[in-house]
């Protein structure tokens, strides 16, 4: 019998179980960016936001070539911007979450990267998910989350609208079956 991935740590995807039936965490995939005895912090990566960014905000002339995607990162501080990128900045403010995925701070890191002409893959996340000490462990033990090792491929390349199903299918077994549950059960 295969034991499912079960270690809460930085660089893990939290995949919402079907028990989460509403709200921003419904069918969400959260990239766990930090997990310690003090608490946990992550960014939802599969909830696109339709937002027009002003060039003034980014202080760059032409962003059409920059692969920037915008996400609702979570319910906490939705006006705060956090940046996931495919390359680190080489500064103390750059945290490698998993191979090929870096938490590079905020809008300033995006401005530095685009003005230098280094258009890297970027997710601009508004808000984040946060858990106090022990809260995420309790949710996991109560079945609210499934765990999967994070990868840059899924962060930047898997379309957000199929990420939840894709990860569950990769897990196989009962998880693959769960991936086929219709989003709206009232339509049955």
């Amino acid at each position: 019998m295969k034991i499912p991935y079960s270690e809460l740590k930085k660089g893990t995807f939290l995949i919402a179980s079907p028990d989460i039936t509403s709200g921003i965490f419904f069918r969400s995939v959260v990239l766990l960016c930090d997990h310690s005895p003090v608490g946990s912090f992550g960014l939802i990566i599969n909830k696109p936001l339709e937002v027009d960014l002003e060039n003034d905000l980014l202080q760059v002339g032409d962003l059409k070539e920059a692969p920037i995607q915008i996400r609702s990162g979570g319910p906490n501080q939705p006006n705060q911007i956090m940046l996931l990128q495919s390359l680190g900045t080489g500064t103390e403010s750059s945290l490698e979450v998993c191979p090929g995925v870096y938490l590079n701070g905020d809008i300033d890191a995006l401005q530095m990267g685009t003005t230098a002409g280094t258009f890297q893959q970027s997710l601009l996340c508004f808000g984040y998910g946060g858990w106090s000490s022990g809260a995420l462990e309790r949710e996991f033990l109560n079945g609210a989350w499934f765990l999967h090792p994070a990868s840059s491929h899924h962060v930047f390349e898997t379309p957000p609208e199929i990420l939840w199903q894709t990860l569950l299918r990769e897990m196989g077994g009962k998880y693959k079956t769960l991936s086929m549950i219709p989003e709206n059960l009232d339509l049955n």
Side-chain angles (χ1 to χ4, degrees):
M1 178 170 97
K2 183 179 173 187
I3 298 173
Y5 188 74
S6 62
E7 186 178 358
L8 283 168
K9 65 179 184 177
K10 175 180 81 170
T12 300
F13 285 135
L14 305 174
I15 305 165
S17 80
D19 294 339
I20 299 175
T21 59
S22 63
I24 194 165
F25 289 114
F26 174 70
R27 292 194 176 206
S28 68
V29 176
V30 177
L31 176 62
L32 195 54
C33 297
D34 189 33
H35 179 71
S36 72
V38 176
S40 304
F41 152 75
L43 297 169
I44 298 173
I45 62 167
N46 69 325
K47 303 287 179 167
L49 280 178
E50 297 297 325
V51 176
D52 289 329
L53 293 178
E54 297 289 329
N55 281 347
D56 295 349
L57 172 70
L58 299 174
Q59 299 176 352
V60 287
D62 186 15
L63 285 174
K64 292 178 181 145
E65 295 177 39
I68 300 170
Q69 301 175 53
I70 302 171
R71 301 283 189 269
S72 174
N76 300 339
Q77 298 184 356
N79 291 330
Q80 183 173 350
I81 298 173
M82 296 195 197
L83 184 62
L84 289 173
Q85 290 185 298
S86 56
L87 297 172
T89 62
T91 65
E92 285 185 14
S93 64
S94 183
L95 170 71
E96 184 176 30
V97 179
C98 69
V101 179
Y102 295 83
L103 181 61
N104 283 337
D106 56 18
I107 198 79
D108 293 336
L110 183 63
Q111 291 170 342
M112 285 189 305
T114 55
T115 55
T118 57
F119 294 129
Q120 56 184 306
Q121 294 174 307
S122 301
L123 290 185
L124 198 58
C125 300
F126 286 81
Y128 64 91
W131 293 265
S132 61
S133 178
L136 184 56
E137 289 87 347
R138 286 189 297 277
E139 289 182 14
F140 171 66
L141 292 173
N142 287 330
W145 300 103
F146 305 128
L147 306 180
H148 189 288
S151 71
S152 62
H153 171 77
H154 286 312
V155 171
F156 298 115
E157 296 175 32
T158 303
E161 61 275 3
I162 63 166
L163 182 58
W164 185 83
Q165 292 90 340
T166 300
L167 292 173
L168 289 173
R169 282 189 200 112
E170 282 183 8
M171 293 171 69
K174 73 174 185 176
Y175 303 104
K176 186 174 182 177
T177 303
L178 291 174
S179 77
M180 296 182 268
I181 295 174
E183 193 167 320
N184 185 347
L185 293 175
D186 292 336
L187 297 178
N188 284 341

